[in-house]
């Protein structure tokens, strides 16, 4: 089955710890994206990557880091510098000039 | 600065009737618009898109209308079904779907 997978579905971390969220796609899409959603708000872009080994900051990149070593993988690290990390995180991918397709999301809760 | 606005946080419609969801934008550089549907704890699902060279795009029960002069788009769902109950997001970009700006969403409830 082609698609985007995110793991885990639910993630808990203690304050001050870094945590990495996984995103894998087998759609052969060049572009991949990370968003966060907070209650009552739209999706806000954290980082995006148009091609392997290249990525750009989105609107709210502070406290996050990413890598794009393989076309199919775009992991997001939420660092201890992120002030309000509790949120629903969504990964998406896109063919070169088309819509974005989203994974099922990871809910991160900081305890 | 909210460049894409969905001013109605919620909407309730009876089954079989028309649902109309609205979206306004402020950035005149936006020329590609999309609608997504989202269930709780799931990722958004793409519904329909429209380029600024068109003023209407139709796909089954879903039609999107674009009024460029008013910087307004709307999604019509006819007839509405209970399974349409979800949060609907509009999104906008310049040129392609490479970088999307999302609205805050409208929760649609279709009642029996």
């Amino acid at each position: 089955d082609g698609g985007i997978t995110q793991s885990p579905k639910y993630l808990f971390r203690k304050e001050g710890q870094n945590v990495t969220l996984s995103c894998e796609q087998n759609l052969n899409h060049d572009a991949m994206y990370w968003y966060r959603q907070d209650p009552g708000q739209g999706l806000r872009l954290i980082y995006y990557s148009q091609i392997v080994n290249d990525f750009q900051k989105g609107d709210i990149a502070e406290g996050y880091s990413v890598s794009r070593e393989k076309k199919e993988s775009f992991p997001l690290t939420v660092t201890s510098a992120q002030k309000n990390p509790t949120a629903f995180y969504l990964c998406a991918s896109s063919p070169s000039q088309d819509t974005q397709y989203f994974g099922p999301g990871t809910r991160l809760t900081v305890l | 600065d909210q460049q894409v606005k969905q001013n109605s946080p919620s909407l309730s419609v009876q089954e079989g009737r028309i649902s109309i969801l609205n979206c306004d934008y402020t950035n005149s550089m936006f020329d590609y618009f999309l609608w997504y549907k989202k269930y709780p704890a799931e990722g958004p699902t793409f519904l329909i898109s429209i380029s600024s060279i068109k003023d209407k795009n139709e796909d089954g029960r879903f039609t999107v209308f674009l009024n460029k002069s008013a910087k307004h788009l709307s999604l019509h769902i006819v007839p509405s079904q209970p399974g349409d109950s979800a949060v609907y997001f509009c999104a906008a970009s310049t040129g392609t779907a490479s970088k999307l700006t999302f609205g805050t969403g409208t929760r649609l409830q279709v009642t029996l």
Side-chain angles (χ1 to χ4, degrees):
Chain A
D1 269 14
I4 304 170
T5 56
Q6 291 185 244
S7 59
K9 181 109 176 126
Y10 299 96
L11 190 55
F12 298 88
R13 84 152 209 225
K14 291 183 181 177
E15 209 167 328
Q17 287 181 337
N18 291 357
V19 63
T20 298
L21 282 59
S22 166
C23 178
E24 305 277 330
Q25 55 100 359
N26 59 5
L27 300 167
N28 201 34
H29 289 170
D30 287 313
M32 296 186 74
Y33 309 82
W34 274 105
Y35 295 87
R36 72 176 271 169
Q37 186 191 13
D38 296 282
Q41 295 198 35
L43 281 66
R44 293 183 291 166
L45 182 65
I46 304 171
Y47 267 98
Y48 64 106
S49 168
Q50 304 276 48
I51 198 166
V52 174
N53 292 323
D54 188 43
F55 49 83
Q56 286 81 40
K57 292 181 180 180
D59 301 317
I60 54 165
E62 187 175 347
Y64 299 98
S65 66
V66 293
S67 63
R68 186 88 188 274
E69 296 175 4
K70 298 185 296 181
K71 187 175 187 176
E72 55 270 22
S73 178
F74 192 40
L76 173 75
T77 297
V78 185
T79 75
S80 56
Q82 170 48 233
K83 299 277 189 283
N84 297 296
T86 294
F88 188 53
Y89 289 87
L90 287 157
C91 177
S93 71
S94 176
S96 55
Q97 299 212 359
D98 202 339
T99 187
Q100 292 181 20
Y101 299 90
F102 285 84
T106 292
R107 181 164 297 283
L108 173 65
T109 303
V110 175
L111 304 171
Chain B
D1 175 29
Q2 192 73 26
Q3 296 187 69
V4 178
K5 300 177 187 179
Q6 294 177 255
N7 292 318
S8 299
S10 64
L11 175 68
S12 184
V13 171
Q14 269 191 322
E15 182 180 10
R17 300 283 183 114
I18 183 171
S19 295
I20 300 176
L21 297 101
N22 294 304
C23 180
D24 297 293
Y25 60 97
T26 56
N27 187 342
S28 56
M29 298 300 291
F30 287 146
D31 59 3
Y32 185 69
F33 305 90
L34 308 91
W35 283 95
Y36 284 87
K37 172 182 178 180
K38 185 182 181 299
Y39 294 117
E42 293 184 11
T45 302
F46 169 72
L47 276 176
I48 192 167
S49 62
I50 187 166
S51 165
S52 61
I53 61 172
K54 292 184 169 184
D55 53 19
K56 176 183 173 182
N57 190 26
E58 214 170 331
D59 185 0
R61 296 187 298 117
F62 302 93
T63 303
V64 56
F65 295 92
L66 176 61
N67 181 335
K68 289 186 289 294
S69 60
K71 294 192 180 70
H72 176 84
L73 64 155
S74 61
L75 174 69
H76 293 210
I77 307 173
V78 182
S80 299
Q81 299 173 354
D84 296 328
S85 297
V87 177
Y88 289 78
F89 290 97
C90 68
S93 76
T94 54
T96 71
S98 61
K99 199 177 170 198
L100 296 177
T101 301
F102 282 83
T104 52
T106 296
R107 182 177 302 278
L108 172 66
Q109 182 164 7
V110 179
T111 58
L112 299 173

